[in-house]
């Protein structure tokens, strides 16, 4: 089955700096890669996603890149703000199958003012 | 996504009791996924249901856990004879039958077994 590895597990940056979180997946059939932000005690919220027919997607300060050949995808947050502090999860699934999500273990991002 | 309702939000059970977790999908959503999140870990898939059918239960423990999604009413995740290791946050996510639509998560039920 699918396996998703996520790095780093913790990341601390200064406000205004960029943050990058990387994930790799094992199943070449996976074709959908969402990123979720989870604040303490809250539900995961979808912040951006990418499908396998696209190499890059951007939404304001957030961007995601996908390398299908290498089976890895990354989340980029620019001009970080303290409110970006949260745990971020990558996930992979196969749109066309059960579409269940396989999650990475998460990255705790801290943005220091 | 605010329409996915889970209750209770917090549930405390003694070892050996039963826990029943409910998930009411957004109106029109016929697909339900249950995930478990252990403390400081990622979410792990448990089961995928459509109305009255279990489609994929590959993530469900073999014993004590069951799930249903009846024709009427919420989806239920039932844990019998709970043990301390069952303490976790349980999230459901729902989506419509349309292909290539996203699933939205509920607020979760935090189960504590004492």
């Amino acid at each position: 089955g699918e396996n998703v590895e996520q790095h780093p597990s913790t990341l601390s940056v200064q406000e205004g700096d960029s943050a990058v979180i990387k994930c790799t997946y094992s199943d070449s059939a996976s074709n959908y890669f969402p990123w979720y932000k989870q604040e303490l005690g809250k539900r995961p919220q979808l912040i951006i996603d990418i499908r396998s027919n696209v190499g890059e997607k951007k939404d304001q300060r957030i961007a995601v890149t996908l390398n299908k050949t290498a089976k890895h995808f990354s989340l980029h947050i620019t001009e970080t703000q303290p409110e970006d502090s949260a745990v971020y999860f990558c996930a992979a699934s196969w749109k066309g199958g059960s579409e269940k999500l396989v999650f990475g273990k998460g990255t705790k991002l801290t943005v220091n003012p | 996504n605010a329409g996915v309702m889970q209750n209770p939000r917090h549930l405390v059970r003694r070892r050996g009791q039963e826990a029943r977790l409910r998930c009411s999908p957004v109106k029109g959503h016929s697909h339900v996924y249950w995930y478990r999140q252990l403390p400081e870990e990622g979410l792990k898939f448990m089961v995928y249901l459509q109305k009255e059918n279990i489609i994929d239960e590959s993530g469900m423990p073999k014993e004590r856990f069951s799930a249903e999604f009846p024709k009427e009413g919420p989806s239920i995740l039932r844990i019998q004879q709970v043990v301390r290791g069952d303490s976790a946050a349980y999230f459901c996510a729902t989506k419509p039958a349309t292909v290539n639509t996203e699933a939205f998560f509920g607020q979760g039920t935090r189960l504590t077994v004492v």
Side-chain angles (χ1 to χ4, degrees):
Chain A
E2 176 64 279
N3 182 53
V4 177
E5 300 283 340
Q6 183 172 348
H7 299 279
S9 56
T10 60
L11 180 59
S12 182
V13 300
Q14 289 299 122
E15 183 177 358
D17 287 350
S18 295
V20 180
I21 302 170
K22 298 182 179 182
C23 289
T24 60
Y25 62 99
S26 60
D27 190 346
S28 56
S30 290
N31 56 11
Y32 175 65
F33 308 92
W35 287 87
Y36 289 85
K37 176 183 180 181
Q38 187 178 33
E39 297 174 340
L40 190 63
K42 302 283 184 65
R43 67 184 168 203
Q45 292 203 300
L46 179 70
I47 57 171
I48 196 167
D49 57 15
I50 192 167
R51 298 177 192 276
S52 59
N53 59 347
V54 176
E56 182 174 358
K57 185 176 178 180
K58 190 172 182 180
D59 182 3
Q60 298 182 340
R61 296 186 298 109
I62 296 173
V64 58
T65 59
L66 171 65
N67 183 327
K68 285 191 298 181
T69 303
K71 294 201 195 101
H72 66 69
F73 55 113
S74 300
L75 177 71
H76 304 251
I77 306 174
T78 58
E79 300 172 24
T80 54
Q81 301 166 2
E83 49 265 39
D84 294 330
S85 297
V87 180
Y88 291 80
F89 293 98
C90 63
S93 78
W94 173 40
K95 289 286 187 182
S98 71
E99 300 189 17
K100 65 186 179 187
L101 294 166
V102 179
F103 285 86
K105 291 194 173 183
T107 296
K108 183 176 182 180
L109 173 65
T110 303
V111 180
N112 302 301
Chain B
N1 59 359
V4 181
M5 302 299 294
Q6 287 190 248
N7 66 82
R9 292 290 309 280
H10 301 274
L11 181 62
V12 179
R13 284 287 178 265
R14 295 184 184 280
R15 282 178 293 171
Q17 291 185 318
E18 178 179 285
R20 290 168 62 93
L21 288 62
R22 296 175 181 77
C23 171
S24 297
V26 173
K27 185 177 181 181
H29 286 195
S30 57
H31 295 207
V32 173
Y33 301 81
W34 284 94
Y35 294 86
R36 176 166 63 176
Q37 185 175 33
L38 294 171
E40 299 191 8
E41 290 197 12
L43 291 85
K44 293 205 183 299
F45 167 78
M46 300 182 75
V47 63
Y48 163 42
L49 310 101
Q50 297 176 15
K51 282 286 187 181
E52 300 185 276
N53 288 302
I54 296 175
I55 306 302
D56 181 349
E57 56 181 347
S58 58
M60 286 282 268
K62 299 297 181 195
E63 298 177 345
R64 302 187 298 108
F65 285 72
S66 62
E68 62 179 13
F69 188 18
K71 186 176 181 181
E72 300 292 337
S75 175
I76 305 287
L77 180 67
R78 182 184 292 109
I79 311 172
Q80 296 178 302
Q81 300 175 329
V82 295
V83 300
R84 287 220 173 108
D86 297 333
S87 295
Y90 292 83
F91 290 93
C92 72
T94 76
K95 67 184 290 293
T98 311
V99 177
N100 284 334
T101 54
E102 312 325 319
F104 295 105
F105 281 85
Q107 295 278 24
T109 293
R110 279 150 187 84
L111 172 66
T112 302
V113 179
V114 297

